[in-house]
């Protein structure tokens, strides 16, 4: 076993209920794009629906088709653009499409996207609506960082869609669902919070969220570096005095990125620093002394939050989570499904 990725669907269900309480009656749509942010789309979608989510959101038609096979009667919304060939597939599979252009396809449910300030996908004005249009939406650029700007976007959306209250109106992502009441409308599209990660980069417990993913491995080998000896490519870490290091059988090919040098993991419960260059399949940690091969290591989990790695890498938990490779050629994936 190189490493083990455990997915706690009980925690995911509790996160769904926490979000539903925050939403005070608005629907919760589970965003499971990018293989549920690396957590496993089918497992996470099933758990989210079981706990009260009423639709699934993905980025691409192929992602939606995989889910359609598993969840025949469920609403599935494709949020990214669909190619012509994919529109036909979406029609056959009874998906719903988000449309950001003037042309509204026929025979498939459509949610029209307005650009109220994200400056990315979306129309600046509503097009002529056809009977295919069942929803109207926008996406917030700063719900996690600049609430004032998010409020401006919400007000633009409200003004533009005021006469359309018979359609499903949806704006909120996780950050807005948790902390921006006026963005709730009819439904919120929540991703990161389902997985128990803070959209604000803070301790998820501050919003009542529980991390769903944990990632563990073992020390494959402990090695004594004599003063002046180094570990890893480029000799980025040179021991100043005799130093024990533990070699972990996990590297950037598994999603433990090269810019995580300097972060910490827990070895036998104690925090230890990652030293030297992270390589494709191996990572070194500094140890106070020898440990036996097989000593347990928590990369992500209790006492070692993903948010902390994100800070060291100068990125978001979104990006780190998507990059964790839990395919069977790299890791053992364990799904815990206690109610
Ligand atoms: C990914 C995405 C979301 C979910 O955002 P979170 O911050 O993960 O909750 C919502 N809406 C759209 C359009 C998205 O692309």
């Amino acid at each position: 076993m190189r490493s083990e990725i455990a997915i706690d669907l009980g925690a995911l269900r509790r996160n769904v209920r926490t979000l539903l309480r925050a939403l005070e009656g608005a629907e919760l749509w589970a965003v499971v794009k990018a293989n549920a942010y690396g957590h496993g789309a089918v497992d996470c979608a099933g758990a989210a629906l079981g706990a009260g989510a009423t639709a699934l959101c993905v980025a691409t038609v192929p992602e939606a088709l995989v889910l359609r096979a598993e969840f025949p009667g469920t609403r599935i919304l494709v949020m990214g653009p669909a190619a012509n060939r994919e529109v036909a597939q979406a029609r056959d599979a009874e998906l719903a499409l988000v449309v950001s252009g003037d042309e509204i396809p026929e025979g498939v449910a459509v949610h029209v996207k307005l650009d109220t300030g994200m400056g990315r996908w979306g129309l600046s004005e509503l097009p002529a609506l056809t009977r295919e249009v069942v929803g109207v939406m926008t996406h917030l650029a700063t719900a996690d960082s600049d609430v004032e700007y998010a409020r401006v976007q919400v007000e633009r959306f409200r003004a533009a869609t005021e006469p359309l209250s018979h359609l499903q109106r949806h704006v909120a992502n996780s950050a807005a669902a948790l902390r921006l009441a006026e963005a709730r409308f009819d439904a919120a599209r929540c991703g990161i919070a389902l997985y128990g990660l803070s959209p604000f980069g803070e301790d998820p417990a501050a919003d009542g969220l529980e991390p769903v993913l944990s990632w563990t491995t073992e020390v494959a080998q402990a090695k004594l570096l004599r003063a002046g000896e180094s570990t890893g490519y480029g000799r980025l870490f040179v021991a100043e005095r005799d130093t024990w290091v533990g070699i972990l059988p996990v590297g950037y090919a598994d999603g433990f990125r090269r810019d995580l040098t300097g972060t910490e993991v827990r070895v036998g419960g104690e925090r230890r620093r990652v030293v030297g260059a992270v390589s494709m399949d191996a990572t070194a940690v500094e140890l106070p002394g020898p440990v036996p091969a097989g000593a347990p290591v928590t990369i992500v989990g209790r006492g070692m939050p993903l948010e902390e790695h994100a800070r060291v890498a100068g990125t978001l938990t979104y990006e780190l989570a998507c990059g964790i490779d839990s395919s069977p050629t790299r890791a053992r994936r364990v799904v815990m499904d206690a109610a």
Side-chain angles (χ1 to χ4, degrees), residues 43-202:
D43 293 327
C44 292
L49 293 167
T54 49
L56 302 173
C57 302
V58 291
T60 72
V61 170
E63 287 178 332
L65 294 175
V66 171
L67 292 170
R68 172 53 77 225
E70 301 283 336
F71 305 102
T74 299
R75 261 183 305 161
I76 304 178
L77 178 62
V78 178
M79 300 187 296
N84 282 340
R85 180 179 50 83
E86 292 178 328
V87 172
Q89 292 176 322
R91 197 178 290 128
D92 291 345
E94 299 188 17
L95 308 176
L97 295 177
V98 169
V99 169
S100 299
D102 286 312
E103 216 166 300
I104 295 180
E106 283 173 19
V108 59
V110 164
H111 295 243
V112 169
K113 187 161 188 176
L114 284 179
D115 183 359
T116 55
M118 176 65 121
R120 214 176 53 172
W121 316 110
L123 292 156
S124 41
E125 275 173 46
L126 279 173
L129 300 181
T130 63
R131 63 189 175 85
E132 274 79 8
V133 176
V134 297
V136 55
M137 65 184 283
T138 194
H139 194 33
L140 302 175
T142 64
D144 57 335
S145 56
D146 179 351
V147 146
E148 288 317 311
Y149 187 77
R151 289 208 168 98
V152 169
Q153 282 199 263
V154 169
E155 281 322 307
R156 282 182 191 151
F157 179 79
R158 191 184 305 282
T161 63
E162 202 76 83
L164 302 177
S165 54
H166 58 292
L167 300 179
Q168 286 184 308
R169 295 193 294 170
H170 46 108
V171 174
N173 55 8
S174 295
L178 290 164
R179 300 198 189 169
L180 189 64
E182 59 263 50
R184 283 177 198 142
F185 293 90
D186 300 312
R189 309 178 304 268
C190 295
I192 198 83
L194 294 179
Y195 311 109
L197 299 170
S198 169
F200 310 102
E202 298 171 0

Side-chain angles (χ1 to χ4, degrees), residues 233-296:
Y233 287 115
R235 307 196 70 219
L236 287 188
F237 177 80
V238 180
E240 286 173 8
R241 59 194 108 76
D242 290 3
T243 302
W244 283 91
V245 292
I247 310 302
L248 315 182
V250 169
Y252 59 78
D254 303 281
F256 195 81
R257 294 162 32 140
R258 281 187 89 254
D259 47 12
L260 286 172
T261 296
T263 194
E264 293 179 336
V265 298
R266 284 161 51 112
V267 179
E270 302 295 325
R271 282 177 170 254
R272 303 293 176 218
R273 193 165 58 102
V274 170
V275 294
V278 174
S279 50
M280 192 180 291
D281 311 298
T283 297
V285 293
E286 190 174 8
L287 298 175
V291 302

Side-chain angles (χ1 to χ4, degrees), residues 2 6 29 75 101 104 117 123 135 166 204 253 275 302 309 320 337:
R2 302 180 69 254
W29 297 354
R75 261 183 305 161
I104 295 180
L123 292 156
H166 58 292
V275 294
R302 203 173 287 276
H309 295 315
L320 291 185
D337 201 4

